Amino acid sequence: MEGLFSQSAYILVYQAPSLDELAEVLGDFKIEGRTEAPPDGHWALGGASLIVAHPEGPGRVLIDVVDRTWPDDMGDPVQDPVLFAAWSAGGFGPAVFPGNLERAGKQAWVWRQASGAVRAHRAFVRMRSTFGEAGVPEGHDPKAELLFLTKLGAAILTLQTSLAFFDPSGEAIRPQEFVDQALAYEAAEGVAPLDVWTNVRIGRLTDDWVLMDLVGMSQLGLPDIEACFKAEQYTFEEVDTFLRQVAEYVADAGDVLGAGDAVPGPKDVTWEVLRAEQGLNAPPRATVRLLPEDGIERTRQVMDVRPMAAVIEAAQAEF
């Protein structure tokens, strides 16, 4: 299963729809057929699915329905080894980590009702994109692939039982109207709906220092983005805007921000770029870390860009 799925997205629902109901709302897409559920298959690996033709050549999207709540934990290698193996092998999609639904519900600044959708959902529709054993083709555009999944999701959101679009890699939960507006803007202006695929989160590093990070850029083959700053110096709103502007820039330009670079930010302050092999917040992933060059002394924590193995080794040594 490892590496089989190149993108994934989900629709949270309060009642599981049938494949026939899904096929009806997906009438504008090319449905190539259906697969049967494996006779002794585990739900985590896949069930009866619709096969939707992918716009990029040989690819396809498998759409199935899981009649249970989202599994936010990894399972147990003894009690539930199949779920554990599915998580470990990327069965829920690339860069999807346990605990993402809980974090998405708690950090839902774009849509405050997201936590209600988390509590209300009783099942989910799973959309997983794959190019099969041939692998991702040369010249593949992950942005176009994710956009296609978003359009599929928008159609499924028209079902009365649908609650929200869930991008687990971006820890983002969005309502139907938000997704529709983002897709309309993309069609009119050509701007990718990053706000559907990513989420900005807020946390405290110390009593004085705040961490805001944008998660989900790995879906585009890019590092996530962090901003560390003194709380009294900048508002959350202006740093949120800053992170989203940087995300839009690298989504178009690519992974171009290197250690030591500087980018203009809030309060007309330039922000220094650090490259971290391990971000300061879950899930584990590489990040571009942004620090304001405002003359304030930085803590050791925000300057630490060592790999996680080195951080753990140092902590054990201190203990």
Side-chain angles (χ1 to χ4, degrees), residues 52-68:
V52 179
H54 197 286
E56 292 194 49
R60 59 184 184 169
V61 178
L62 302 180
I63 304 177
D64 68 330
V65 179
V66 179
D67 194 5
R68 53 153 295 156

Side-chain angles (χ1 to χ4, degrees), residues 180-221:
D180 288 344
Q181 290 171 6
L183 288 175
Y185 189 67
E186 188 280 332
E189 304 293 337
V191 178
L194 292 181
D195 287 352
V196 177
W197 306 335
T198 65
N199 197 31
V200 173
R201 308 174 304 177
I202 305 171
R204 289 275 181 178
L205 289 172
T206 68
D207 289 341
D208 298 328
W209 282 82
V210 172
L211 167 68
M212 291 183 66
D213 68 343
L214 184 141
V215 60
M217 297 299 286
S218 63
Q219 298 169 101
L220 306 181

Side-chain angles (χ1 to χ4, degrees), residues 10-27 50 63-65 123-127 151-165 175-177 180:
Y10 296 76
I11 303 298
L12 302 180
V13 298
Y14 65 81
Q15 181 178 309
S18 67
L19 289 187
D20 287 339
E21 289 175 306
L22 290 178
E24 184 174 350
V25 297
L26 293 172
L50 297 177
I63 304 177
D64 68 330
V65 179
F124 55 91
V125 179
R126 176 166 50 185
M127 300 173 287
K151 292 176 180 178
L152 289 171
I156 297 171
L157 282 170
T158 62
L159 288 172
Q160 290 187 346
T161 55
S162 294
L163 292 167
F165 185 97
Q176 179 184 357
E177 57 270 22
D180 288 344

Side-chain angles (χ1 to χ4, degrees), residues 200-201 203 205 209-215 217 223-231 233-234 238-250 254-266 269-281 285-299 301-305:
V200 173
R201 308 174 304 177
L205 289 172
W209 282 82
V210 172
L211 167 68
M212 291 183 66
D213 68 343
L214 184 141
V215 60
M217 297 299 286
D224 281 341
I225 306 165
E226 300 174 313
C228 304
F229 56 96
K230 276 288 195 73
Q233 297 295 115
Y234 310 92
E238 60 191 1
V239 177
D240 179 289
T241 299
F242 175 47
L243 285 171
R244 295 184 189 280
Q245 289 172 340
V246 174
E248 289 180 7
Y249 171 70
V250 297
D255 190 9
V256 295
L257 296 178
D261 288 347
V263 294
V269 172
T270 58
W271 293 55
E272 181 185 2
V273 174
L274 302 182
R275 297 294 298 241
E277 293 188 36
Q278 170 59 44
L280 293 169
N281 197 2
R285 80 277 195 226
T287 63
V288 167
R289 189 174 302 162
L290 303 172
L291 303 174
E293 297 182 314
D294 52 12
I296 294 177
E297 184 178 358
R298 298 166 179 173
T299 68
Q301 186 177 14
V302 302
M303 295 299 295
D304 195 344
V305 294

